[in-house]
Amino acid sequence: MSLLSENVIPGNHGKIFGTNAKEQADIAIVVEAILTVNGIKDVIVNADVFPAELTIHTNAIVEIEKIENAVKPSGFHAIPKGGLFQL
């Protein structure tokens, strides 16, 4: 594993996560949990696809595991999708 595959790094590209939350209220709970992690700048939700996609932007290097663990108590999950960068 590497710095890029285990972390969300600052920048305008962000990192896309999938979540099993379906309802808007449930997605809001997931977003709120993610925003409690230090270094998270914002979360952009794309609920038009299933599973819903969350693009997470940071202002510091944030471990993916911290994001996953922040969401778990809500009963939902956030799992990183795709490769390192979409060019």
Side-chain angles (χ1 to χ4, degrees):
M1 294 296 178
S2 71
L3 176 71
L4 295 176
S5 65
E6 295 179 355
N7 299 285
V8 181
I9 60 171
N12 60 359
H13 49 274
K15 179 93 174 149
I16 299 174
F17 286 72
T19 183
N20 62 335
K22 296 176 185 173
E23 303 296 324
Q24 284 295 90
D26 295 337
I27 293 171
I29 290 169
V30 171
V31 170
E32 187 176 317
I34 292 170
L35 289 173
T36 64
V37 177
N38 287 337
I40 301 293
K41 184 167 65 172
D42 65 15
V43 179
I44 299 170
V45 178
N46 180 3
D48 295 334
V49 296
F50 184 80
E53 291 181 342
L54 309 168
T55 303
I56 300 174
H57 296 102
T58 64
N59 54 18
I61 294 176
V62 177
E63 293 177 22
I64 289 173
E65 187 174 352
K66 286 185 180 182
I67 296 168
E68 292 172 333
N69 290 338
V71 174
K72 283 179 187 176
S74 70
F76 299 103
H77 67 255
I79 298 176
K81 294 178 76 175
L84 299 178
F85 295 105
Q86 293 182 3
L87 300 175

